[in-house]
Amino acid sequence: MQPPVTPASTISTRATPLPRSPTISSSPSAATRRQLLVSAGGLLLIVAAGSNNASSKGAAAAAGYDPVTEAERAASAAVSLRVGEAVRLLDLGRDLQARGEFPEALASFTAVVSGYKDLALSEYARVGRALVLYEIGDRDESITEMEDVSVALKGYPEIHAALAAALYADKHAPLLAENQFTIATLLDPHYTDLAYVRDTKHWPPSLVASLKNFFTLS
């Protein structure tokens, strides 16, 4: 005997619903966010403190560093003293020359030339020495000095003008004198004026007279 068949209309076609999993929020809670912010802030403070400490140590080390040694500082001071003394003697010689105290001027110029020949300014002392020697010393020695300095200080107009006057008056070399004077006046036209060399450059009277002879071809 067949078992009774249940009618199809009585069988439910709906599936039994599965149990729902609890919903997990992907966003942290407000409390969690506050905790994260506090932790991050503390970390930043630690990093900043370390950076400031390193910077302070670096600044202190830099402040204590001196690239100049004591020996170098002492050597620099010694050079400064020598230069200062040479300048003083050079200025003194020029002042004495301007006052017509030629022997004293010669002594000052000679002191610079002999004692400070390693300094460039000694060449300018040689100019003064040559001019004063022309007045009170050996003119041949003076002219030799002028010729040497005209090479060492080529382009320095005063020495070229003085050499022109001396070559014309004492060596009777008008062409050489003309060449030297051309160099001088191209660089400084003032040397065509006797008053300039007498009153401004304070040339000795004998050298002024020689330059006048050159101008007048006498």
Side-chain angles (χ1 to χ4, degrees):
M1 182 175 179
Q2 296 290 332
V5 178
T6 303
S9 60
T10 64
I11 299 174
S12 174
T13 60
R14 290 182 302 175
T16 303
L18 296 174
R20 298 177 65 183
S21 300
T23 302
I24 299 175
S25 174
S26 60
S27 300
S29 65
T32 303
R33 287 198 300 271
R34 283 196 299 272
Q35 185 176 2
L36 290 172
L37 288 173
V38 170
S39 299
L43 180 60
L44 288 174
L45 288 174
I46 292 172
V47 172
S51 176
N52 290 336
N53 189 35
S55 299
S56 299
K57 290 181 179 179
Y65 174 68
D66 187 354
V68 181
T69 65
E70 287 299 326
E72 290 171 334
R73 190 175 288 107
S76 178
V79 171
S80 296
L81 286 174
R82 291 190 73 244
V83 171
E85 179 61 15
V87 170
R88 186 190 70 80
L89 287 170
L90 179 59
D91 289 342
L92 176 61
R94 288 171 172 171
D95 289 342
L96 292 168
Q97 177 185 332
R99 296 200 298 264
E101 300 176 23
F102 299 117
E104 294 81 2
L106 180 61
S108 289
F109 290 135
T110 302
V112 178
V113 173
S114 60
Y116 302 92
K117 62 180 62 179
D118 56 315
L119 301 179
L121 60 82
S122 67
E123 296 296 338
Y124 297 94
R126 291 180 68 195
V127 174
R129 185 173 184 275
L131 269 57
V132 173
L133 273 174
Y134 192 85
E135 179 72 19
I136 63 172
D138 185 338
R139 288 197 176 185
D140 286 337
E141 183 183 357
S142 170
I143 294 171
T144 299
E145 188 91 70
M146 290 181 190
E147 289 174 335
D148 288 345
V149 180
S150 70
V151 175
L153 290 179
K154 188 174 180 62
Y156 187 60
E158 183 173 19
I159 195 61
H160 292 291
L163 182 56
L167 287 173
Y168 180 83
D170 296 275
K171 297 299 182 181
H172 310 292
L175 291 179
L176 293 177
E178 191 66 42
N179 289 338
Q180 291 295 324
F181 196 70
T182 298
I183 295 172
T185 52
L186 282 174
L187 295 167
D188 189 348
H190 287 103
Y191 286 95
T192 59
D193 183 2
L194 285 175
Y196 175 75
V197 298
R198 182 185 63 243
D199 301 329
T200 302
K201 302 304 290 184
H202 305 294
W203 279 16
S206 59
L207 192 57
V208 175
S210 293
L211 185 61
K212 182 179 179 180
N213 290 339
F214 172 71
F215 287 165
T216 59
L217 301 178
S218 58

